């Protein structure tokens, strides 16, 4: 009797963003025909908030650097416990901008034995886009928008072809710290308007913890297949009138979500207005999922 699976193993991804560091571990089964199935074993998020230091002082502080190192040591041990065959650890906007980013990366390699890579905005955008390519309809126009603490990655896909992809230094923590340059925000809106000009019925595919939370908040009242932009606007109006503490109580938000959720909504609304999109599809998949899929395809 032929066995159903010819290989079975675990893969992991570490995503070090400007707001949080995430560890995702997935189990992979490959059958005799080469078909793959993936199941999530573990997802852990630690709110390191590297961007709070970097976008204010230009470097990661000693205390936050120690927390960063401890988190990577913990992630390394968890990968051992789960017998991870292969992993990739990527850092994005905050580490790209941190003056001591490369020094911290070397320390993490020596002390935590985690090989951390600082990836470019373009590579980040590509990993996220490739992760969703197979799941997109072959027809239609879609804006893939991933909003992070330090940057926003945008791809435009029409009839299955990626015709635009760019990373912008417009992120939630940058906005909170008043560190988004007017030219950067204008470039985001201008490029989105230009690339989507002439297309009708554009839909946004939203990625990131904030849009996931906004979608869940909207879904509390009624079940939605996608998040209408007008509903997001109402949520934004309500949240923006409250203090961080009031948002935590009214919407049951954690502190590290309550402050960044408003600038995140603001960024999505800028993209929606520039593209004339009416709804946002929220698949709840991000960079860590893309890293694992990339590992699987390349190895």
């Amino acid at each position: 009797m032929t066995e159903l699976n010819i290989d079975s193993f675990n893969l992991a991804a570490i995503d070090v963003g400007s707001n949080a560091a995430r560890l995702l571990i997935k189990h992979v089964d490959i059958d005799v025909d080469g078909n793959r199935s993936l199941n999530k074993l573990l997802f852990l998020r630690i709110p390191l908030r590297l961007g709070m230091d970097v976008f204010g002082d230009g470097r990661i502080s000693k205390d936050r650097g120690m927390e960063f190192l401890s988190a990577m040591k913990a992630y390394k041990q968890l990968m051992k416990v789960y017998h991870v065959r292969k992993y990739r650890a990527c850092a994005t906007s905050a580490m790209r901008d941190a003056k001591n980013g490369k020094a911290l990366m070397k320390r993490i390699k020596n002390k935590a034995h985690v090989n951390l890579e600082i990836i470019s905005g373009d590579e980040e955008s590509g990993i996220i886009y490739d992760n969703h390519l197979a799941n997109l309809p072959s027809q239609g126009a879609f804006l893939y928008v991933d909003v992070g603490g330090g940057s926003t990655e945008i791809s435009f896909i029409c009839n299955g072809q990626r015709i635009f992809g760019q990373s912008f230094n417009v992120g939630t923590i940058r906005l909170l710290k008043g560190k988004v340059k007017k030219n950067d925000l204008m470039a985001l809106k201008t490029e989105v308007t230009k690339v989507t000009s002439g297309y009708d019925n554009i839909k946004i595919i939203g990625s990131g913890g904030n849009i996931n939370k906004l979608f869940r908040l909207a879904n509390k009242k009624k079940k939605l297949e996608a998040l209408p932009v007008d509903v997001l606007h109402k949520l934004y109006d309500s949240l923006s009138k409250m203090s961080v503490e009031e948002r935590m109580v009214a919407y049951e938000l954690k502190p590290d979500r309550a402050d960044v959720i408003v600038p995140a909504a603001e960024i999505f609304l800028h993209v929606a207005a520039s593209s004339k999109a009416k709804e946002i599809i929220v698949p709840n998949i991000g960079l860590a999922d893309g890293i694992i899929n990339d590992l699987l395809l390349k190895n």
Side-chain angles (χ1 to χ4, degrees):
M1 182 176 178
T2 305
E3 292 184 6
L4 290 177
N5 295 327
I6 60 170
D7 203 1
S8 180
F9 53 91
N10 295 335
L11 295 176
I14 297 174
D15 165 19
V16 179
S18 301
N19 198 36
R22 304 164 188 85
L23 170 66
L24 176 65
I25 299 176
K26 288 188 176 182
H27 180 72
V28 182
D29 281 317
I30 303 178
D31 66 19
V32 291
D33 297 318
N35 298 312
R36 299 183 294 262
S37 64
L38 285 80
N39 294 292
K40 182 170 70 175
L41 295 179
L42 176 71
F43 178 75
L44 185 60
R45 176 184 181 275
I46 299 176
L48 290 177
R49 320 215 79 187
L50 301 180
M52 287 295 187
D53 286 348
V54 176
F55 305 138
D57 303 323
R59 58 189 298 112
I60 296 167
S61 67
K62 182 179 179 180
D63 287 346
R64 210 177 297 267
M66 291 296 293
E67 293 172 0
F68 189 6
L69 177 60
S70 296
M72 293 303 102
K73 286 180 177 179
Y75 284 179
K76 180 67 174 182
Q77 292 305 311
L78 283 167
M79 288 192 292
K80 285 182 179 179
V81 170
Y82 278 87
H83 304 287
V84 168
R85 178 183 290 185
K86 196 172 184 65
Y87 77 93
R88 188 180 183 193
C90 297
T92 56
S93 186
M95 285 289 282
R96 285 196 292 265
D97 286 8
K99 295 175 183 177
N100 57 341
K102 290 184 179 179
L104 265 173
M105 187 172 64
K106 290 178 181 178
R107 189 177 179 207
I108 285 166
K109 183 176 182 179
N110 292 332
K111 299 289 186 180
H113 308 292
V114 171
N115 293 312
L116 185 65
E117 304 172 54
I118 300 176
I119 62 173
S120 68
D122 288 341
E123 184 175 0
E124 182 181 358
S125 176
I127 291 171
I128 293 167
Y129 161 73
D130 290 340
N131 185 42
H132 285 278
L133 180 61
N135 299 319
L136 285 177
S138 59
Q139 299 296 314
F142 301 89
L143 265 177
Y144 189 93
V145 183
D146 181 75
V147 174
S151 63
T152 293
E153 278 61 51
I154 297 179
S155 294
F156 185 53
I157 304 101
C158 186
N159 298 332
Q161 297 295 318
R162 186 191 191 204
I163 59 178
F164 172 83
Q166 191 169 334
S167 177
F168 299 89
N169 282 337
V170 178
T172 58
I173 294 182
R174 282 190 199 270
L175 279 172
L176 275 181
K177 303 288 282 186
K179 297 297 182 179
V180 171
K181 298 176 182 177
K182 289 183 180 180
N183 288 345
D184 287 335
L185 182 57
M186 183 59 67
L188 183 152
K189 293 191 287 186
T190 301
E191 288 299 315
V192 169
T193 299
K194 183 169 68 174
V195 77
T196 59
S197 178
Y199 293 91
D200 296 322
N201 301 319
I202 293 169
K203 294 182 180 180
I204 294 172
I205 300 173
S207 175
N210 288 297
I211 196 65
N212 294 338
K213 187 64 179 180
L214 286 162
F215 185 46
R216 287 195 293 272
L217 291 177
N219 256 345
K220 280 188 175 182
K221 293 184 178 179
K222 55 183 178 180
K223 289 296 179 182
L224 300 169
E225 292 185 359
L227 177 59
V229 171
D230 59 347
V231 172
L232 175 60
H233 218 302
K234 290 176 183 176
L235 263 175
Y236 170 76
D237 288 342
S238 174
L239 287 161
S240 61
K241 292 173 184 175
M242 299 178 181
S243 67
V244 171
E245 291 75 17
E246 288 170 337
R247 292 173 206 158
M248 290 169 60
V249 174
Y251 290 96
E252 298 179 354
L253 299 175
K254 294 179 181 178
D256 62 293
R257 181 68 67 206
D259 57 355
V260 293
I261 199 167
V262 168
E266 184 180 336
I267 294 169
F268 275 103
L269 289 172
H270 280 310
V271 174
S274 299
S275 62
K276 298 180 181 178
K278 301 298 183 187
E279 66 177 15
I280 303 170
I281 301 167
V282 187
N284 197 20
I285 298 176
L287 179 61
D289 298 271
I291 291 170
I292 286 181
N293 284 351
D294 198 46
L295 279 173
L296 191 56
L297 289 171
K298 290 181 178 178
N299 294 278

